[in-house]
Amino acid sequence: MIKNNIGNTALEKHEALSRQYGTGIWIKEEFRNPGGSSKDRVAWYMVQDAIQHTKIPEGGIFVEASSGNTGISLALIARELGYQCKIFVSKSTSLEKILMLQRLGAQVEVCLNSNGPLDENSTQFKAKTFADQHPEAYFTNQYYNDANIEAHFQTTGPEIWKQMDGQVTHVLIGMGTGGTISGIGKYLKEKNPNIQIWGVEPMNSIYQLIVQEMPIPEDQPKFDPIEGIGRTFLPGSFDPSVVDQVFQVSADKTKKIAHLFSHQNKQLTGYSSAAVLAALDEHADQMDLKSSDRIVLVFPDHGDRYLEKLYSNKAGNKNGDLGFKHV
C-alpha cells in the first residue's frame, strides 16, 4: 500500500555544498516519496480526513487546485483507494506534470492563474466551483486545509529532528501553500525555539511582507515565475509565527543555479529546490553562517518534472549533455 512508502525520506549531508559555504549542509530528499514529492504526505492526510469524516462519497471525485505535485499525489492515492480525481492547474504548470496527471487517470483542467479564491480565472475558484456543483466531488483545498500543516508537523518535522539527532540549527524551505514550512517549523520550534526557520519565495511574492508584518500594496507587482512557490494571497495553511525570515530569489538566478548544480553534481534538481539553493547562494552573507551550523535544505521534488522549463535548450540551457542522472 502506498501509505507504507510515504515519508521516512533520506536526509544526506552534501559534502560539496558544505565545503563551498563553510558550514554543514544536509538535503532532505522529499523527491524519494512514491509520488515523487513532499506532497504525498499532505495528500494522504487530506484524503484520510475526507474519508474518515465522510466528506466524500465512496468512489467520489477528489478535486484540487495545484501546481502539479499535490495533484499527482492525490491522483496516485485516489486511484489506489478507488476514487476519481480532477485537478485544476494554471497555464504555467510544466508539461511533465500535466502528462503525469493524465497517466494517473486524473482529469486535468488548465486555468489562467492561481491567484486565489476570489479570482474567477484562478485554479482555486474553479476547483471550488466544480466541487460545489457536483455532490460526488470533494475539494481538498490544500491552501486552507489544516491537514496541510498537520502532515508535516506529524511526519517531516519529527523525521528531520530524529535524522539530525536534534542537532539542527537552520532549515531552508520553499514557500508555496505555506504548509511545509509551517508544519516543520512548528514541530522544530517546539523542540528547540532557537532553530532558525527560513523561507524562500520568488521576487515580489507576499510572504516576506507577511512575516515582517508589513501591508501588502494594492499594486503589488507580479512575482517571478518559479513553479511551486510564491503567492499573491495569504493561504490559511501558512503560520507566520514559526518563520524567522524569508529570502527572495529571482527566476533567472534560480535557473542558473539549477544548471550549475546539475553540472557539478550530475543531478537534476526541482524548480523550488533550485530556488532554495539560489537563496543560500544569494543571501549567504546575510545568513551569517558559521562552521558549526547544521543546515537542512528541503528539496520537495526532482528536476525530471521540469525538463522543458529548466533543462532544455529552449529553457536557456546551453551546456549540452552534462551527464545528468536521476537520483
Side-chain angles (χ1 to χ4, degrees), residues 20-49:
Q20 182 177 349
Y21 293 101
T23 190
I25 295 178
W26 281 256
I27 293 176
K28 181 64 168 163
E29 299 177 345
E30 286 294 279
F31 49 80
R32 295 193 184 278
N33 280 296
S37 82
S38 62
K39 295 299 186 177
D40 284 2
R41 301 175 187 264
V42 176
W44 180 262
Y45 268 67
M46 293 193 301
V47 165
Q48 288 305 299
D49 173 73

Side-chain angles (χ1 to χ4, degrees), residues 22-93:
T23 190
I25 295 178
W26 281 256
I27 293 176
K28 181 64 168 163
E29 299 177 345
E30 286 294 279
F31 49 80
R32 295 193 184 278
N33 280 296
S37 82
S38 62
K39 295 299 186 177
D40 284 2
R41 301 175 187 264
V42 176
W44 180 262
Y45 268 67
M46 293 193 301
V47 165
Q48 288 305 299
D49 173 73
I51 294 173
Q52 291 170 8
H53 294 93
T54 60
K55 297 176 182 179
I56 186 171
E58 186 173 346
I61 308 171
F62 281 104
V63 178
E64 186 54 272
S66 171
S67 63
N69 282 335
T70 304
I72 289 169
S73 298
L74 279 171
L76 188 66
I77 294 168
R79 185 176 68 172
E80 179 173 294
L81 298 181
Y83 291 83
Q84 303 171 65
C85 193
K86 184 176 179 67
I87 305 299
F88 292 80
V89 302
S90 72
K91 63 179 183 179
S92 63
T93 298

Side-chain angles (χ1 to χ4, degrees), residues 258-298:
H259 291 171
L260 181 62
F261 186 80
S262 66
H263 181 53
Q264 293 176 338
N265 296 272
K266 305 299 182 287
Q267 176 180 331
L268 296 176
T269 185
Y271 215 153
S272 61
S273 304
V276 167
L277 290 170
L280 179 64
D281 191 70
E282 186 80 11
H283 300 284
D285 291 342
Q286 186 181 350
M287 292 174 178
D288 191 28
L289 303 175
K290 301 176 179 61
S291 60
S292 58
D293 288 338
R294 296 166 64 88
I295 304 164
V296 173
L297 312 181
V298 176

Side-chain angles (χ1 to χ4, degrees), residues 2 15-16 18 29 54 66 88 104 119 123 141 143 216 223 244 261 276 285 292 300:
I2 189 173
E15 298 294 348
S18 296
E29 299 177 345
T54 60
S66 171
F88 292 80
L104 291 170
D119 188 327
T123 57
N141 199 4
Y143 292 91
I216 301 170
F223 63 79
D244 295 289
F261 186 80
V276 167
D285 291 342
S292 58

